[in-house]
Amino acid sequence: MDQEQIQINEAVNWFFFSGGPGAPRYGDDPTKHAVDHDSEAFVREVLQNANDQALSNDDPVEVTFRFVTLTGDEKEEFLNGLGWDDGLGERMQAVADTHNGHRYERVVERVNDSDAELRLLIVEDRNTTGLTGNWDEDSNYAALVRDELYSSKQDDTAGGSYGLGKSVLWTFSGASTVVFNSHLAHGEREGESPRLIGRSKFPTHQLQGDDTTYQGAGWLCQPIETDEGPRPDSFWGERASRLAEQLHVERPTVSGTSAMVVEFQDPTRDERPDVEDLAQEFVEASVKYFWPAIYRGDLDITVETPDETLTADVESVPAIRPFVEAYDERTTDAQTLADPGDVAGLDIPVEIPPRADGSETPDGSVRLSARLASPADDDAYLNSVALFRGAGMVVKYYDQSRVAYGDRNFFGVLAAGEARPEGTPSKSDREIDRFLRFSEPPEHDEWESTENLREQYQRGFRTALDNMFGTLRDGLRHLISKGGNTDSLSDNVLNRFPIHGSGNPRSTTSPAEPVFEIDSSSRFDGDAWTISGRIKVLPEEFEGWSADISLTGVGEDGSRYDDIPINDVEVEQSGVTVSYDDGSAHLVADEHVYEVSFSGRSHPDEAADLVHGDVGATQLEILAELQTPEED
Amino acid sequence: MTETELHRLTEDGRRLVGQSFMKGEATLTDEQLDEYIEPIPGHPTADLDRIDSSVQQVVQEYPEYDTAIDGALAEEIHRGLDITRRTAGDPGLWHWLAVVRYPELIRHRWEYRSEEAMREKFLGAGSDLYSNAIHRLWWIAELTSRDDDYSTTDAVFANQTMVNKVFDRWFARYRPAVRAMCDELADEPSRVIDETTRRFNHALTNVQLEGLSENEAREMIRQIVAESR
């Protein structure tokens, strides 16, 4: 050990606050019990934290999970750097001796057993903010290193808003200890990067021959004196660099943070899985929850083990590929699904209540798309809808298997907020993103009514969510149905959407409100189909409207055939013209017509025979479109 | 004749089938496959030696992607695989046959056009008769043969329009109807096949398919063919 190294080791110090008489006691880190903790949850939480700290440039956030195993001299060297013999070991032994310290005891045994390996996991993110700020202010640094359950996230689109996610780092450390090394993007001490500090979270404990009760949290740091007493402070610059190298947490000089989890272990498992298996699980969990961000080029994830480097790309997990296709083709005009692999989509209107301060919020929509499954697809997440917003993290796979029937299985995507458009998000996209962010509970695995929503928005937030999910389910049914039974279902469904048939929406009324009310009936009277119906316009202001009426034959298996030509259609009201095109009737109504009743017949077929395929199940379809005054 | 026990590929095993395997650039070793192969309840057996030699012969004699391969193999596969429909209803069996036993045959018969299309040839099956390459041959033979008579099967495979138009419909699962349909359409041009299957499918929204005897179905189809010409 050279002279400089000795000096650094002398500076390494474990600092614990003493509680004083009557101070609260902590059994163990309370956040450890707050979320489900399997390795999937770990990956999800850690990536979400990195993703939220993205710099506002066009470069993707890069995250590397690196597994390191240490034995022999390397392990000794590491433990020296960690200050095992300078306080940490003694404390862990003290904690291990308490009534709930089994987990710590196993780590102490592992450290003392010269044949046992130590397993480190380093989570390195790049192109992120880094640990900026000071102990005594509201900052990234304080949120991670000082506080509990306190979030300091970049902006309204951030994935997290509770500060719970970071706790998984400690939960997955057998030693409940994590070391951070960070290169800062901005801030007064950017030039002094890197910055290094370690933190452990133990239960309240006492040391032998020492009457002091120590609170749980401790820091591997340089303590400094302040007006309010001693405080932990980070190592900076060259010293931090040297120590980082010794602790395997060194990093390139780009902004971001490396977090090193000491003795990585999954608290939900008894056995110790192979690093290679863990690496594969990490890749799968990364893609499962972050494929939208990966696909959009906002996030690059790699997993390194001593033997290999794996890349989490959207192709590497077959179960996710159908969702990627559904998202990729979400802007399609198609509203029906014919063959396996087809994608169809719909806009789902969302109406958000005003914010709590009274400011109005624009209404907008989120985009639903679905891909019809083929028997060859990996069906791990069959018949569910991936919900996500601008952060690019799948909040959940929403099970909608009740919508599937026969061989009509699907993979759905609900792209909300800033994830909806292909280009720049609109004002309403940004508001929806914000709204949904506040609707996520600490686990970020639901969109539901929360305390945060109540604080941020006026009454109506619960209805807004209920309506969105209700319309989502109806819309999905509409996409998945074969279009074979419009009589009740599809008319109902069509009424809920501003767009009827193909063509772009031109309605500028609130998209959440139905535009038409349509009733219809049809029957075969011996040689032709007799049809009748009523179309009523609901909005008060419009410049006119049009409707296409058509009849289509349907097969036993739901397949649709050529149109059955309509011979004539009569309308009772004036102000409506009727024309015929390719067997369907086209009505055009002027701005005075609010309601039309029509009746008509198909071309008669004298020889029509029920058993020879002349007449059979037939679908009457009415597609109506409203013209509204152009908005300035 | 030696009987070999049949197996199935598990659902997890389907994940072994990647692009390079389907293209024939990579093979799956026994070691990789072992974990994903399991016996079928009832331990059905089949004369796989017979199928092995027919497949070998066909792959040598016929050029790549030749549709005539279907007709040359359907009878042999059906005779070799003397199994119940219940066994045949297990997709895992067809996945095992396609992925483990006869991947070269699949690649020889079907050109790799897209990952999705090729996955279906290896991993389709179930309710879609038309998907898995071997499943398709067996089922069409099952639905069109009469005891030892495979003449209708041969007629069907001689005409790919018929394979496409008839076996892609739901009524193709009902043997009396599908036999009558294949017999009556054997010598008709594509246009008539197209129109007849469409009309029959439409008529079945009025007539209960399973209520029809083969003769009744045949009479109905004859008239539809006459109107479709």
Side-chain angles (χ1 to χ4, degrees):
Chain A
M1 205 177 281
D2 63 21
Q3 193 60 32
E4 177 126 28
Q5 191 67 54
I6 290 165
Q7 280 174 2
I8 289 168
N9 278 348
E10 281 169 354
V12 168
N13 202 335
W14 276 94
F15 176 89
F16 285 79
F17 282 107
S18 56
R25 293 160 62 89
Y26 299 95
D28 207 346
D29 176 10
T31 56
K32 280 179 190 166
H33 308 288
V35 286
D36 289 337
H37 285 124
D38 52 14
S39 27
E40 196 174 277
F42 178 87
V43 171
R44 192 179 143 113
E45 296 295 341
V46 163
L47 286 176
Q48 180 182 290
N49 279 341
N51 205 25
D52 287 349
Q53 295 294 339
L55 295 177
S56 52
N57 56 24
D58 287 337
D59 296 332
V61 169
E62 299 170 16
V63 179
T64 301
F65 293 100
R66 186 178 301 121
F67 288 98
V68 174
T69 48
L70 298 177
T71 50
D73 292 346
E74 273 191 322
K75 179 173 150 191
E76 284 299 310
E77 175 84 6
F78 170 80
L79 289 167
N80 276 337
L82 192 63
W84 183 264
D85 294 329
D86 295 312
L88 187 64
E90 186 189 4
R91 292 202 183 252
M92 211 173 303
Q93 186 63 59
V95 175
D97 292 341
T98 63
H99 64 280
N100 55 359
H102 296 303
R103 143 175 204 209
Y104 298 98
E105 197 171 339
R106 284 198 292 273
V107 176
V108 173
E109 281 167 12
R110 196 169 269 284
V111 166
N112 294 332
D113 177 355
S114 55
D115 292 334
E117 62 165 41
L118 270 188
R119 181 175 285 176
L120 313 182
L121 172 67
I122 296 98
V123 184
E124 175 183 303
D125 62 44
R126 300 180 290 278
N127 294 326
T128 54
T129 337
L131 294 182
T132 51
N134 292 319
W135 182 268
D136 291 323
E137 62 185 14
D138 212 358
S139 65
N140 276 341
Y141 175 72
L144 190 62
V145 173
R146 186 190 67 188
D147 299 326
E148 290 296 344
L149 294 177
Y150 197 88
S151 178
S152 162
K153 289 287 169 66
Q154 293 290 78
D155 54 40
D156 282 353
T157 62
S161 51
Y162 287 89
L164 188 58
K166 60 182 188 275
S167 75
V168 297
L169 292 169
W170 285 272
T171 309
F172 279 73
S173 164
S176 217
T177 301
V178 181
V179 177
F180 299 97
N181 180 28
S182 182
H183 203 93
L184 279 51
H186 52 77
E188 53 194 87
R189 302 182 73 174
E190 178 193 343
E192 296 172 54
S193 293
R195 164 186 226 177
L196 183 142
I197 189 164
R199 182 179 179 184
S200 62
K201 295 184 181 182
F202 297 144
T204 303
H205 57 274
Q206 288 188 318
L207 296 178
Q208 275 186 336
D210 180 349
D211 284 341
T212 316
T213 298
Y214 293 94
Q215 285 187 350
W219 288 265
L220 174 69
C221 63
Q222 275 180 312
I224 51 165
E225 279 301 327
T226 70
D227 296 344
E228 286 128 23
R231 290 284 178 267
D233 194 22
S234 328
F235 299 102
W236 288 91
E238 183 60 24
R239 290 184 137 194
S241 272
R242 289 281 191 124
L243 191 53
E245 204 172 316
Q246 196 177 359
L247 293 174
H248 298 268
V249 72
E250 71 275 17
R251 55 173 293 118
T253 57
V254 291
S255 68
T257 304
S258 300
M260 187 266 291
V261 178
V262 180
E263 182 49 17
F264 178 85
Q265 51 179 242
D266 183 338
T268 61
R269 296 194 215 194
D270 292 335
E271 88 281 26
R272 192 178 174 86
D274 281 350
V275 165
E276 305 302 324
D277 291 342
L278 271 176
Q280 192 55 44
E281 278 178 32
F282 272 46
V283 167
E284 283 175 18
S286 302
V287 174
K288 178 178 175 187
Y289 288 109
F290 287 89
W291 63 263
I294 298 171
Y295 173 79
R296 286 166 72 106
D298 296 334
L299 185 61
D300 287 343
I301 304 162
T302 48
V303 183
E304 291 178 20
T305 69
D307 294 331
E308 59 181 346
T309 299
L310 306 170
T311 304
D313 62 53
V314 293
E315 287 295 310
S316 57
V317 181
I320 298 307
R321 276 188 244 164
F323 292 100
V324 180
E325 283 175 37
Y327 181 58
D328 181 39
E329 296 171 38
R330 67 189 180 283
T331 56
T332 175
D333 287 333
Q335 289 193 18
T336 49
L337 297 163
D339 299 315
D342 283 359
V343 174
L346 280 174
D347 287 330
I348 306 291
V350 176
E351 215 173 329
I352 297 178
R355 290 198 188 182
D357 62 9
S359 53
E360 285 297 320
T361 54
D363 294 332
S365 63
V366 294
R367 184 71 181 175
L368 169 70
S369 60
R371 177 182 171 285
L372 200 59
S374 112
D377 290 326
D378 186 315
D379 57 6
Y381 308 110
L382 190 69
N383 294 330
S384 51
V385 181
L387 311 178
F388 56 91
R389 53 187 177 84
M393 177 181 88
V394 175
V395 167
K396 73 183 277 193
Y397 288 91
Y398 182 41
D399 181 6
Q400 284 295 294
S401 39
R402 283 193 308 181
V403 172
Y405 67 95
D407 58 352
R408 307 281 286 175
N409 292 304
F410 63 90
F411 299 93
V413 159
L414 190 74
E418 301 195 6
R420 183 192 67 88
E422 285 188 316
T424 315
S426 66
K427 214 176 151 202
S428 66
D429 289 327
R430 284 197 291 270
E431 189 68 34
I432 290 172
D433 215 294
R434 179 179 189 274
F435 178 80
L436 291 173
R437 173 187 168 217
F438 285 118
S439 78
E440 290 171 10
E443 296 86 350
H444 304 290
D445 57 357
E446 283 289 352
W447 285 338
E448 61 187 19
S449 180
T450 62
E451 222 26 63
N452 270 344
L453 268 189
R454 190 183 305 279
E455 276 171 24
Q456 295 289 334
Y457 289 91
Q458 294 186 4
R459 269 167 54 131
F461 52 86
R462 187 190 299 266
T463 314
L465 281 170
D466 287 349
N467 285 349
M468 183 182 82
F469 279 109
T471 316
L472 160 65
R473 287 187 292 268
D474 282 346
L476 196 59
R477 240 173 250 132
H478 175 68
L479 293 181
I480 301 309
S481 76
K482 266 193 174 158
N485 48 351
T486 35
D487 311 349
S488 52
L489 175 70
S490 289
D491 276 357
N492 266 341
V493 169
L494 284 173
N495 272 336
R496 291 188 74 149
F497 294 94
I499 317 151
H500 287 176
S502 56
N504 293 319
R506 296 180 59 192
S507 163
T508 52
T509 55
S510 161
E513 287 168 25
V515 177
F516 292 100
E517 193 177 288
I518 300 175
D519 296 317
S520 65
S521 72
S522 58
R523 66 188 170 85
F524 193 70
D525 67 5
D527 63 353
W529 287 91
T530 306
I531 57 174
S532 62
R534 188 178 63 97
I535 305 169
K536 186 179 174 186
V537 184
L538 298 174
E540 288 181 1
E541 241 185 287
F542 57 91
E543 286 188 339
W545 55 275
S546 61
D548 277 312
I549 303 172
S550 61
L551 283 168
T552 311
V554 179
E556 182 212 10
D557 52 12
S559 45
R560 292 163 54 111
Y561 299 124
D562 308 334
D563 290 343
I564 296 167
I566 290 177
N567 198 44
D568 60 271
V569 167
E570 281 178 23
V571 173
E572 291 168 18
Q573 292 78 5
S574 57
V576 183
T577 59
V578 181
S579 59
Y580 303 92
D581 179 29
D582 214 13
S584 63
H586 185 62
L587 311 188
V588 178
D590 65 29
E591 73 271 24
H592 306 298
V593 183
Y594 280 86
E595 188 171 337
V596 158
S597 298
F598 68 89
S599 58
R601 272 168 70 83
S602 69
H603 272 293
D605 181 355
E606 295 293 344
D609 187 313
L610 288 171
V611 295
H612 296 154
D614 298 318
V615 186
T618 295
Q619 175 187 332
L620 170 61
E621 194 166 44
I622 300 166
L623 301 172
E625 191 174 348
L626 194 72
Q627 284 167 4
T628 49
E630 292 293 330
E631 230 179 10
D632 293 326
Chain B
M1 157 173 136
T2 37
E3 290 280 313
T4 313
E5 183 175 341
L6 296 172
H7 288 81
R8 63 191 307 284
L9 186 70
T10 64
E11 283 194 35
D12 282 345
R14 306 194 324 191
R15 290 173 202 174
L16 296 174
V17 179
Q19 210 168 5
S20 53
F21 171 77
M22 293 191 287
K23 283 182 172 170
E25 295 160 0
T27 50
L28 295 171
T29 62
D30 290 349
E31 202 184 358
Q32 281 172 295
L33 287 163
D34 249 8
E35 185 182 339
Y36 302 107
I37 293 172
E38 60 187 24
I40 297 175
H43 303 280
T45 59
D47 187 359
L48 291 186
D49 289 350
R50 173 184 186 149
I51 300 180
D52 285 349
S53 60
S54 316
V55 166
Q56 207 176 1
Q57 199 181 342
V58 161
V59 169
Q60 279 167 9
E61 282 178 16
Y62 289 79
E64 275 189 322
Y65 319 137
D66 187 349
T67 53
I69 292 172
D70 294 345
L73 273 178
E75 180 179 340
E76 286 302 302
I77 283 178
H78 190 248
R79 283 182 188 275
L81 280 169
D82 185 12
I83 53 177
T84 62
R85 287 194 181 184
R86 173 184 282 255
T87 302
D90 180 353
L93 166 66
W94 304 104
H95 298 163
W96 177 72
L97 287 168
V99 174
V100 182
R101 298 286 306 203
Y102 305 112
E104 301 82 12
L105 170 67
I106 315 292
R107 296 185 199 113
H108 192 79
R109 167 64 181 85
W110 296 96
E111 186 176 358
Y112 186 98
R113 290 212 171 86
S114 73
E115 187 177 352
E116 173 147 358
M118 203 61 175
R119 269 181 86 80
E120 194 158 83
K121 298 299 170 229
F122 279 100
L123 296 177
S127 64
D128 190 354
L129 287 189
Y130 200 75
S131 53
N132 178 288
I134 298 171
H135 172 265
R136 169 176 170 274
L137 299 182
W138 189 91
W139 271 105
I140 292 177
E142 167 76 7
L143 291 163
T144 54
S145 60
R146 289 177 178 78
D147 301 323
D148 268 352
D149 178 6
Y150 286 85
S151 55
T152 309
T153 312
D154 293 340
V156 167
F157 281 114
N159 183 342
Q160 286 288 322
T161 308
M162 197 129 92
V163 183
N164 295 338
K165 292 293 173 185
V166 176
F167 291 92
D168 212 14
R169 305 274 190 217
W170 283 6
F171 64 75
R173 284 125 175 108
Y174 185 57
R175 205 169 189 171
V178 81
R179 278 181 187 157
M181 182 65 87
C182 293
D183 287 347
E184 296 305 317
L185 289 179
D187 301 319
E188 298 292 340
S190 301
R191 186 186 55 77
V192 175
I193 295 174
D194 205 22
E195 178 69 5
T196 302
T197 52
R198 181 193 76 72
R199 277 174 164 264
F200 187 60
N201 194 18
H202 194 38
L204 291 177
T205 61
N206 300 324
V207 177
Q208 179 62 35
L209 173 67
E210 291 80 2
L212 295 174
S213 68
E214 185 169 337
N215 280 339
E216 285 166 341
R218 188 180 302 278
E219 192 47 42
M220 204 172 136
I221 291 163
R222 267 190 195 147
Q223 295 208 25
I224 293 178
V225 171
E227 286 179 36
S228 302
R229 277 188 188 128

